Amino acid sequence: MSAKTYEVRTYGCQMNVHDSERLSGLLEGAGYVRAPEGADGDADVVVFNTCAVRENADNKLYGNLGRLAPMKTKRPGMQIAVGGCLAQKDRDTIVSRAPWVDVVFGTHNIGKLPVLLERARIQEEAQVEIAESLEAFPSTLPTRRESAYAAWVSISVGCNNTCTFCIVPALRGKEKDRRPGDILAEVEALVAEGVCEITLLGQNVNAYGSDIGDREAFSKLLRACGNVEGLERVRFTSPHPRDFTDDVIAAMAQTPNVMPQLHMPLQSGSDPILKAMRRSYRQERFLGIIEKVRAAIPHAAISTDIIVGFPGESEEDFQQTLHAVREARFANAFTFQYSKRPGTPAAEMDGQIPKEVVQERYVRLVALQEEISWEENKKQVGRTLEVMVAEGEGRKDGATHRLSGRAPDNRLVHFTKPAEDVRPGDVVTVEITYAAPHHLLAEGAAKSVRRTRAGDAWEKRNAAQAAKPAGVMLGLPRIGVPEPLPAAAAPGCGCD
């Protein structure tokens, strides 16, 4: 009898991506195997890990559920589960609108999924279980990591902010911090498995310490990561300008394995709009942080999130956003057209901006940021960079005989394939010869190739997967820095 298969579909921020790794780990621990790539619902269990921060998120979910209904009719025993932020929000309506759903679970009890699936199977009725508060820190759950060398490490869950456009605090709850010792134990365990790069993850990552009563806990954590032998790269997302203190900048500058990269959400350059958003900083404060970071880390690449068309935004307000973008000179930006998040104060505000006005401003912002991104990338030409080889980052690598990877500052680099064998996770030193707005190119021969423990881990994982019985396709691991998500799913739901 063949093992039952599963498919997890993920929407939203990097927190959801990491939660989906845990859901996969739970299901595999319960005996399921991942369905082949492109299964598109042809699995024994299909799990939707949902996001609620975008307008019409529910329509997207119910549309996808509707497409699975006839497939479930034809496949006896198939189960469908819905979890994540939308499940937490719409717990009472999902089963009534889609009665063929078997399990609904929330953001606080993802560890219950296998039990709920089994209970639904035995009782032959939908199981809806939504915990109102965190039952156990999710990092204690088994995880099926998508990468052999890069891993997410959650340091907190929840958020204490009250931004008027964001529903996440209502769904994820108040911030709860992990103990530093538990975090470092997980980091050390990951490094022992071959991981050489971690991304510290939180809804408001640099507020870490507020729950445990230490305002400098985050900078201390960064420095502690610097003492983990074998850990080559440390990143974090997403910080909040309110909590971005000088001790964090110093820790970034003084800890060699903390990468020269910062994602700092601006949201708007207008002080009145920032006030309406309940953002606790203003343009001058934001730009001051950027200036301090660049003084301490000259080659830092800084990215951001920006919302265009927030209620009440005038042309003058928008011009202030353009001014902030020109001053900050972001390497790239995740730009959003404001959309109502049901249940947020902003959704009920006066001064909702017409769609055509929002679109026109959005086009102007994107054009400006593209110009700046290209200019900033051109400054990289002639530099020698250590690139960590990735898998799946360069769509044209096969045709161009190149490989791709991430520089320390997280810029995407395509480079000429070396003559010697190179594996994802290895490090190749190259000289940048060309810059485009969204990538760099190194056309000459590699200066050096360093085989790493991470490359060994990738090789070991691939060998193990190749040894699986025929017909069980787990798919290749996705190697590389967890890449920036598209605009609809930027770091931290675009609401940090």
Side-chain angles (χ1 to χ4, degrees), residues 42-263:
D42 188 14
D44 294 298
V45 170
V46 179
V47 183
F48 291 88
N49 190 8
T50 63
C51 174
V53 303
R54 306 299 291 174
E55 188 178 23
N56 297 324
D58 54 347
N59 291 338
K60 186 172 184 179
L61 170 66
Y62 294 118
N64 285 322
L65 290 174
R67 283 189 285 274
L68 287 187
M71 189 176 295
K72 186 177 181 184
T73 301
K74 297 176 183 177
R75 184 171 183 143
M78 179 182 178
Q79 292 185 295
I80 300 171
V82 179
C85 288
L86 192 63
Q88 189 83 19
K89 182 172 87 69
D90 291 348
R91 65 192 77 181
D92 298 325
T93 60
I94 291 175
V95 173
S96 62
R97 289 187 60 178
W100 53 94
V101 169
D102 299 276
V103 171
V104 179
F105 62 101
T107 59
H108 299 308
N109 61 333
I110 62 176
K112 292 287 188 68
L113 176 60
V115 172
L116 293 173
L117 287 169
E118 186 64 19
R119 192 185 301 164
R121 185 177 295 112
I122 292 171
Q123 298 183 5
E124 297 184 343
E125 65 179 11
Q127 301 296 307
V128 180
E129 188 168 308
I130 306 290
E132 295 300 334
S133 60
L134 194 66
E135 296 181 344
F137 206 95
S139 287
T140 62
L141 299 174
T143 302
R144 185 199 192 280
R145 291 185 294 108
E146 293 300 313
S147 168
Y149 86 81
W152 309 104
V153 176
S154 289
I155 68 172
S156 64
V157 295
C159 180
N160 294 338
N161 293 322
T162 57
C163 300
T164 55
F165 54 80
C166 181
I167 199 170
V168 169
L171 303 179
R172 292 274 182 178
K174 292 292 186 181
E175 180 177 325
K176 185 170 181 59
D177 297 333
R178 292 178 72 191
R179 294 172 44 148
D182 293 341
I183 296 168
L184 290 171
E186 182 180 356
V187 170
E188 290 168 353
L190 288 167
V191 171
E193 294 174 8
V195 168
C196 63
E197 175 172 317
I198 63 161
T199 299
L200 302 176
L201 191 61
Q203 298 292 161
N204 184 7
V205 71
N206 61 323
Y208 177 74
S210 63
D211 182 47
I212 57 178
D214 184 354
R215 291 183 59 83
E216 295 189 353
F218 185 62
S219 62
K220 292 175 183 175
L221 182 61
L222 290 177
R223 292 182 187 276
C225 287
N227 295 325
V228 178
E229 186 175 354
L231 180 59
E232 297 193 19
R233 295 185 173 190
V234 178
R235 306 183 190 276
F236 58 89
T237 195
S238 286
H240 192 293
R242 181 195 66 188
D243 303 298
F244 209 85
T245 48
D246 290 349
D247 61 298
V248 173
I249 297 173
M252 291 177 65
Q254 296 165 10
T255 310
N257 65 355
V258 176
M259 294 294 96
Q261 173 213 350
L262 174 64
H263 182 81

Side-chain angles (χ1 to χ4, degrees), residues 444-490:
K447 293 181 177 292
S448 66
V449 174
R450 175 164 60 88
R451 292 173 70 85
T452 66
R453 292 170 55 256
D456 295 342
W458 178 88
E459 202 164 50
K460 182 179 179 181
R461 175 184 280 198
N462 261 22
Q465 290 184 352
K468 293 284 184 181
V472 178
M473 298 173 58
L474 297 186
L476 291 176
R478 181 160 142 167
I479 305 302
V481 180
E483 65 181 279
L485 297 170

